[in-house]
Amino acid sequence: MLNIPKIDYNFDSNLHQNKNYLCKMNILLLGSGGRESAFAWKITQSTNCEKLFIAPGNAGTAQYGTNINIKVTDFMGIKQAVLNHRIDLVLVGPEEPLVKGIHDFFLADDEIKNIPVIGPQKEGAQLEGSKDFSKQFMVRNGIPAATSKTFTKDTLQEGYEYLATIGLPIVLKADGLAAGKGVLICSSIEEAKQELNEMLLDAKFGDASSSVVVEQFLQGIELSVFVLTDGTHYKILPEAKDYKRIGEGDTGLNTGGMGSVSPVPFADKAFMEKVERNVIIPTVNGLKAENIPYKGFIFIGLMNCNGEPWVIEYNCRMGDPETESVMTRIESDFVDLLLATANGKLNQEELIISNKVAATVMMVAGGYPGEYLKDKVITGIENVRGSKVFHAGTYQDKEEIKTSGGRVLAVTSLQPDMFTALQQATADASRIYFDGMYFRRDIGFDLL
Ligand code: AMP
Ligand code: GLY
């Protein structure tokens, strides 16, 4: 017996079947995390999806489509899969292939150049791929962000001088992709000096820290805002709050994310209007004005500082575990939205969002975010009743599902109110077991 539950959840039926056209497509989704499991679930809710392929996927995505064992950065392998399976649309989950230019690769190849890729080209992906690029973009377009300057080893001396001028704590950011580890918050100038040395002189984060952004610390409460854009028009997807620390009460090491909640109570109408006016519109217009083509998601990491939104970072993709909560609240046909993005007609689509609350609790492997246990058998998924279980680091081993990653499963519940959603997701996580498992029992309770 496979211990994968049947896809039979009370919130699977909330899809609005308001399409006046039908176009059956084969879709290829790139990635293998909880975000991709949530995308896969949402895509197969669409009447527009004929077949879904996921590369490389995980044990959970295999419930919704066919996993293909190709790495997200194996562009030639991806091209072959696109041709073999007559793929009509590609959705890119993680940042790495985007920053490495997968969209450009498609456009440059006559055999696949007409197949839409959702995710920006290399230049737009620099919003995430280079902190210096994104800061300069924000400055040019008048987008509120912390004051900063960028240094290399040739300007180290100026860097030291700058450290003394910006106040404590000091934020240091490796310019390039550093697997979520490239941001350091230093509480003294001495510490900042030492870290700056290690980043610039000792390649602490490899090539990613050959350039370092030094910036002011922003005091406030964070949230994640997501925009889908076709380069001209945009839709604001449900916002979410992400819990990054491993320990309850937001303590301990940083992780990829231990849980998420959507909507975010403090992101009220007045605040979101400011976000749209001061951040989203200048971002989308700035990309257009600077001739940076962008069809895909923009994930804006924001700090709410006394009711004013300040941008901490951009990502060129959706967040994880935010996507699990965000997709759960989207009632519109997701493939329609992707198609309209590809065709530059996002303005013709209606985005319908549930006013229920989605909560996601991430179940992680023992030891995570340090070295963690692997290959542990997962049991009890079939006992979950009021939540969906999105797989992240899992694989199928004959009849069993085993753990392969640090973040193993995302348990997401959609309920009429926040308390019930949080309680249900937490209770359902307790119904699942694997050796060494851990999850936070306080996700979202600070928002009540
Ligand atoms: P990032 O890798 O850019 O997501 O940064 C990681 C985390 O560092 C963010 O989620 C924030 O919690 C924190 N952070 C980054 N920049 C700042 C800043 N200027 N002020 C305060 N916190 C920051
Ligand atoms: N949850 C944060 C991220 O996906 O980067």
Side-chain angles (χ1 to χ4, degrees):
M1 260 291 288
L2 291 184
N3 56 356
I4 301 181
K6 273 185 34 204
I7 304 165
D8 173 24
Y9 298 93
N10 56 0
F11 53 91
D12 274 356
S13 56
N14 62 13
L15 189 68
H16 284 237
Q17 311 263 336
N18 62 349
K19 282 183 292 291
N20 44 21
Y21 60 93
L22 205 64
C23 126
K24 287 284 190 185
M25 295 198 300
N26 291 343
I27 297 174
L28 174 63
L29 167 62
L30 300 183
S32 60
R35 166 182 52 213
E36 286 74 25
S37 292
F39 275 150
W41 164 68
K42 196 70 195 154
I43 286 170
T44 51
Q45 296 293 294
S46 169
T47 45
N48 282 338
C49 180
E50 174 81 35
K51 284 189 193 152
L52 174 66
F53 296 87
I54 310 97
N58 58 39
T61 59
Q63 293 171 266
Y64 308 111
T66 307
N67 287 346
I68 315 176
N69 191 16
I70 302 173
K71 286 205 184 92
V72 295
T73 49
D74 175 4
F75 294 177
M76 283 309 287
I78 290 166
K79 173 187 170 181
Q80 214 46 58
V82 162
L83 295 173
N84 291 349
H85 299 292
R86 300 173 183 276
I87 297 297
D88 302 296
L89 181 127
V90 179
L91 170 59
V92 185
E95 64 280 12
E96 197 187 356
L98 294 167
V99 172
K100 290 189 169 155
I102 191 164
H103 195 152
D104 313 67
F105 172 85
F106 270 64
L107 292 172
D109 186 315
D110 280 341
E111 288 183 281
I112 51 174
K113 69 178 181 199
N114 293 322
I115 296 169
V117 175
I118 304 299
Q121 286 152 249
K122 207 169 180 170
E123 200 183 356
Q126 287 291 93
L127 281 186
E128 175 165 5
S130 166
K131 303 268 188 206
D132 180 49
F133 175 93
S134 77
K135 293 295 300 202
Q136 292 191 28
F137 176 86
M138 290 182 235
V139 171
R140 280 196 302 275
N141 291 286
I143 294 160
T147 307
S148 74
K149 273 194 180 168
T150 303
F151 302 96
T152 63
K153 66 177 186 322
D154 298 332
T155 54
L156 190 57
Q157 203 52 45
E158 289 159 50
Y160 293 157
E161 286 160 24
Y162 188 65
L163 293 178
T165 66
I166 61 166
L168 295 173
I170 298 168
V171 184
L172 302 183
K173 298 183 168 182
D175 176 55
L177 292 184
K181 297 197 170 76
V183 175
L184 302 173
I185 296 175
C186 306
S187 49
S188 70
I189 295 178
E190 272 319 301
E191 184 191 348
K193 254 187 184 173
Q194 176 157 356
E195 293 291 359
L196 191 62
N197 283 342
E198 287 180 23
M199 288 166 95
L200 291 175
L201 302 177
D202 309 334
K204 178 165 185 158
F205 300 107
D207 245 11
S209 65
S210 59
S211 206
V212 174
V213 175
V214 178
E215 76 176 31
Q216 267 182 334
F217 182 82
L218 298 170
Q219 193 76 52
I221 175 159
E222 282 182 68
L223 81 156
S224 308
V225 168
F226 302 99
V227 176
L228 178 61
T229 181
D230 60 16
T232 302
H233 318 100
Y234 62 87
K235 296 283 178 204
I236 305 174
L237 306 181
E239 78 287 349
K241 178 125 188 57
D242 163 30
Y243 291 79
K244 286 209 171 78
R245 301 297 194 93
I246 187 73
E248 289 176 6
D250 287 330
T251 54
L253 294 174
N254 252 323
T255 71
M258 294 296 293
S260 67
V261 181
S262 177
V264 179
F266 64 78
D268 55 15
K269 193 160 175 275
F271 181 77
M272 289 307 289
E273 275 170 10
K274 286 185 198 169
V275 172
E276 182 168 17
R277 189 173 60 241
N278 302 346
V279 179
I280 295 173
I281 292 175
T283 299
V284 174
N285 288 350
L287 288 167
K288 201 175 159 78
E290 298 186 13
N291 292 315
I292 302 173
Y294 203 111
K295 287 178 190 291
F297 298 98
I298 310 174
F299 164 171
I300 308 168
L302 286 177
M303 193 70 88
N304 175 346
C305 306
N306 298 318
E308 295 300 320
W310 290 72
V311 177
I312 295 175
E313 62 165 349
Y314 289 114
N315 295 304
C316 60
R317 52 169 172 92
M318 287 292 290
D320 192 355
E322 291 97 325
T323 305
E324 292 87 319
S325 292
V326 170
M327 285 298 126
T328 301
R329 289 189 61 222
I330 293 180
E331 295 187 349
S332 311
D333 186 311
F334 186 52
V335 176
D336 278 355
L337 290 168
L338 298 179
L339 254 181
T341 300
N343 296 332
K345 293 186 174 163
L346 209 41
N347 55 324
Q348 295 177 12
E349 288 297 313
E350 192 187 3
L351 175 64
I352 303 164
I353 298 172
S354 164
N355 53 23
K356 291 185 184 173
V357 176
T360 297
V361 171
M362 192 58 89
M363 304 187 66
V364 304
Y368 178 82
E371 207 170 310
Y372 53 82
L373 301 173
K374 284 184 191 164
D375 306 309
K376 299 298 175 194
V377 177
I378 302 168
T379 56
I381 294 179
E382 68 281 6
N383 298 329
V384 168
R385 288 288 169 266
S387 304
K388 266 194 93 52
V389 180
F390 294 118
H391 291 228
T394 68
Y395 68 99
Q396 182 91 41
D397 184 14
K398 301 193 187 82
E399 300 296 292
E400 292 176 321
I401 310 254
K402 292 185 175 172
T403 70
S404 60
R407 294 194 292 172
V408 176
L409 297 167
V411 180
T412 302
S413 197
L414 182 72
Q415 301 291 340
D417 65 88
M418 185 166 294
F419 182 75
T420 313
L422 297 171
Q423 209 182 30
Q424 187 68 49
T426 309
D428 277 329
S430 331
R431 299 192 164 97
I432 301 173
Y433 181 80
F434 49 92
D435 275 352
M437 66 165 213
Y438 168 75
F439 60 91
R440 277 179 60 171
R441 290 170 185 276
D442 68 336
I443 298 297
F445 283 92
D446 58 315
L447 299 174
L448 288 172

